[in-house]
């Protein structure tokens, strides 16, 4: 039996329900505030309520569902407080990553960044949001590897995941991929030049790009946000 077949066999009904709901929530197929029923999900997957309840618990721990006793479970709305907190943590960690990466980067590291950027450019040309999002993650993970602090990506990716849905709204509805690509290029140039402050300045500017989008989404769809 292949390793892939064994991996598939090990997936439980909880995993199947979780993966399906996770994808639906982060891709905005299920919008913030949408009601979700244990019974309906159990019927959809042909399982008992227990694996659905366990999947809901995992999504709740990720801040994607709001489970309230005696009330309907719903897709969690955005929290301006949580967004602000996550971005503060991420900017603090990422600034140090960029400084270290600028100090450590080799010619081979620069080529890795350029390769990723070339693929990002293709994704922008194709209007491929999913591919661009994956390459965005890979870009920031590569920066952590260059800085020799791979563990930092765990923090960055966790905090990044907390605003991913807002990022997707930014990409799909305001199409800022080109601007984000230019930010990535500026970060890479600072790293390759060994200019730590230039890299940090570009990185911090990159993290502010979502500000105007959050304001616009809040004005247009206040129901997506917690009171």
């Amino acid at each position: 039996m292949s390793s892939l077949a064994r991996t598939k066999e090990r997936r439980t009904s909880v995993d199947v329900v979780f993966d399906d709901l996770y994808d639906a929530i982060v891709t905005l197929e299920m919008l913030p505030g949408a009601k979700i029923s244990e019974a309906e999900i159990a019927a959809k997957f042909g399982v008992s309520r227990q694996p659905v309840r366990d999947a809901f618990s995992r999504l709740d721990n990720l801040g994607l569902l709001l489970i309230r006793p005696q009330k309907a479970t719903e897709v969690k709305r955005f929290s301006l407080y949580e967004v602000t907190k996550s971005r503060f943590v991420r900017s603090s960690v990422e600034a140090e990553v960029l400084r270290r990466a600028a100090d450590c980067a080799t010619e081979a590291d620069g080529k890795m960044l350029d390769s990723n950027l070339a693929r990002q450019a293709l994704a922008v040309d194709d209007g491929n949001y999913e591919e661009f999002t994956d390459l965005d993650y890979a870009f920031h993970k590569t920066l952590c590897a260059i800085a020799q602090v791979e563990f930092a990506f765990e923090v960055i990716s966790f905090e990044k995941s907390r605003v991913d849905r807002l990022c997707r709204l930014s990409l799909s509805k305001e199409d800022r991929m080109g601007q984000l690509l230019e930010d990535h290029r500026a970060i890479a140039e600072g790293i390759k030049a060994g200019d730590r402050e230039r890299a940090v300045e570009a990185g911090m500017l990159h993290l502010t790009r979502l500000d105007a989008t959050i304001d616009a989404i809040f004005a247009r769809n206040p129901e997506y946000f917690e009171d």
Side-chain angles (χ1 to χ4, degrees), residues 1-224:
M1 182 184 297
S2 70
S3 60
L4 178 59
R6 287 194 297 271
T7 299
K8 286 183 176 179
E9 281 194 349
R10 285 197 296 269
R11 291 185 76 228
T12 65
S13 54
V14 177
D15 296 327
V16 172
V17 175
F18 171 83
D19 289 344
D20 185 84
L21 293 178
Y22 178 87
D23 288 343
I25 293 170
V26 300
T27 61
L28 300 174
E29 178 184 335
M30 296 176 67
L31 291 170
K35 300 295 189 293
I36 181 170
S37 161
E38 262 187 29
E40 289 176 3
I41 297 299
K44 174 183 175 181
F45 289 94
V47 298
S48 68
R49 288 199 180 193
Q50 188 57 53
V52 176
R53 195 168 295 124
D54 291 343
F56 277 18
S57 179
R58 286 168 62 179
L59 291 163
D60 178 43
N61 290 336
L62 290 176
L64 294 175
L65 279 188
L66 179 62
I67 300 174
R68 301 169 296 176
Q70 310 305 318
K71 291 186 178 180
T73 296
E74 65 179 40
V75 177
K76 193 165 185 180
R77 291 173 168 85
F78 300 122
S79 163
L80 293 178
Y81 171 78
E82 291 296 334
V83 169
T84 300
K85 183 173 73 172
S86 289
R87 296 180 70 208
F88 177 83
V89 172
R90 182 183 169 189
S91 64
S92 300
V93 173
E94 196 141 352
E96 182 60 21
V97 167
L98 294 174
R99 292 188 185 98
R100 294 187 180 213
D103 291 342
C104 299
T106 64
E107 184 176 346
D109 292 331
K111 289 180 179 178
M112 273 199 304
L113 292 174
D114 288 341
S115 175
N116 177 281
L117 291 169
R119 293 170 63 197
Q120 286 186 42
L122 290 175
V124 171
D125 290 342
D126 293 341
N128 191 331
Y129 311 124
E130 299 299 327
E131 178 71 8
F132 185 85
T133 298
D134 290 344
L135 290 167
D136 184 5
Y137 266 85
F139 179 79
H140 290 282
K141 186 174 184 178
T142 299
L143 292 173
C144 292
I146 293 172
Q148 300 175 22
V149 287
E150 287 88 344
F151 55 83
F153 187 68
E154 295 175 16
V155 178
I156 291 171
S157 59
F158 176 76
E159 299 302 339
K160 186 172 167 55
S161 71
R162 297 176 75 84
V163 296
D164 264 357
R165 287 187 294 159
L166 276 170
C167 290
R168 285 177 181 272
L169 284 171
S170 169
L171 292 176
S172 61
K173 294 192 176 180
E174 301 190 24
D175 196 15
R176 298 195 175 185
M177 288 193 297
Q179 184 179 62
L180 299 181
L181 172 57
E182 290 307 311
D183 288 346
H184 289 162
R185 284 173 172 159
I187 292 169
E189 289 305 312
I191 297 298
K192 291 189 293 182
D195 188 335
R196 48 167 36 206
E197 294 313 314
R198 178 179 164 191
V200 170
E201 183 179 358
M204 296 305 99
L205 176 62
H206 179 59
L207 294 180
T208 68
R209 297 299 190 190
L210 199 55
D211 292 346
T213 299
I214 292 173
D215 291 342
I217 295 169
F218 183 78
R220 186 171 59 236
N221 297 103
E223 71 276 11
Y224 288 174

